Amino acid sequence: DTGKLTGHKGAWERPLSIYRSGYTYVAQARDWLPDPIGGLFWFAPDESMSSVITPFYVGAPNPVPKPYYTGFSDKFDQKSVWWAFNFVANWAAIKYSYIIKDIKEKQSELELAAIEGTKEIEKRALEVYKKDPVQAKIMLGEFSRNNAMNVYHAWWNLAWKLVAKYSDGYVNEPGKMAQEVGYPEEWYKKSEWKNGPIKYGKPKKIHPGD
């Protein structure tokens, strides 16, 4: 009975991708596969909305590269993948309706590549596992590290691209620099901006000696 909740007091709803989220993960335990292949941990640093969820095979040797366990939240560090995602998420605030499209495009590209990559490596690793389980684990570890490092480099590259593309509030692209995109049309309507002054005269003197 929703009527009983009318007088309920408390904080507002909180999404999974809240800005102060430290990380998000999804753990897969697939018992129809050998343990080194079936145990898969998908991890996304910082807030999930603007991060890339990345696969790590938990039964593989050393599946996590250094950028994924480097850095502290009180010191900016380009060697840390968390800072790459945190920086981009914060930078997006300067022109969110535009920048989120760039983020989603790169996010989809990397996550789809990871999904297809896991399908391929698991198929190969399963065949190898039947003859050499140790070698299969090594393959899975290499895949995890290489994919994660690709995400790390790709996200810092995206960060610096966004800095240049949206510098000074413009949209800057090759051959189309300093595009003035202005405010949303709805803002112009509400503020009645178009009815404002279009000419500015010399200020009147308040005191005769001025």
Side-chain angles (χ1 to χ4, degrees), residues 32-124:
W32 62 90
L33 292 169
D35 287 348
I37 304 173
L40 187 57
F41 191 84
W42 296 81
F43 178 79
D46 201 52
E47 58 183 87
S48 57
M49 178 186 64
S50 54
S51 186
V52 173
I53 193 160
T54 304
F56 297 93
Y57 287 94
V58 297
N62 304 315
V64 183
K66 193 172 182 179
Y68 277 77
Y69 57 83
T70 295
F72 298 90
S73 60
D74 62 347
K75 184 179 180 181
F76 184 75
D77 187 354
Q78 284 184 241
K79 295 180 180 179
S80 167
V81 74
W82 184 88
W83 269 111
F85 286 108
N86 186 263
F87 176 84
V88 168
N90 277 273
W91 189 256
I94 68 168
K95 214 170 191 68
Y96 186 81
S97 62
Y98 287 84
I99 295 178
I100 191 61
K101 294 176 183 177
D102 294 83
I103 290 174
K104 291 300 182 184
E105 180 181 359
K106 180 58 69 172
Q107 182 187 59
S108 295
E109 174 191 322
L110 294 171
E111 289 183 344
L112 287 173
I115 291 171
E116 293 304 313
T118 57
K119 292 178 182 178
E120 179 63 27
I121 193 64
E122 286 175 11
K123 181 179 179 181
R124 290 167 47 206

Side-chain angles (χ1 to χ4, degrees), residues 4-47:
K4 294 181 180 179
L5 299 177
T6 304
H8 182 71
K9 297 180 179 180
W12 54 80
E13 297 173 345
R14 197 175 87 170
L16 181 66
S17 60
I18 190 170
Y19 69 91
R20 62 176 180 269
S21 173
Y23 58 88
T24 304
Y25 70 86
V26 176
Q28 285 185 283
R30 300 167 293 176
D31 62 359
W32 62 90
L33 292 169
D35 287 348
I37 304 173
L40 187 57
F41 191 84
W42 296 81
F43 178 79
D46 201 52
E47 58 183 87

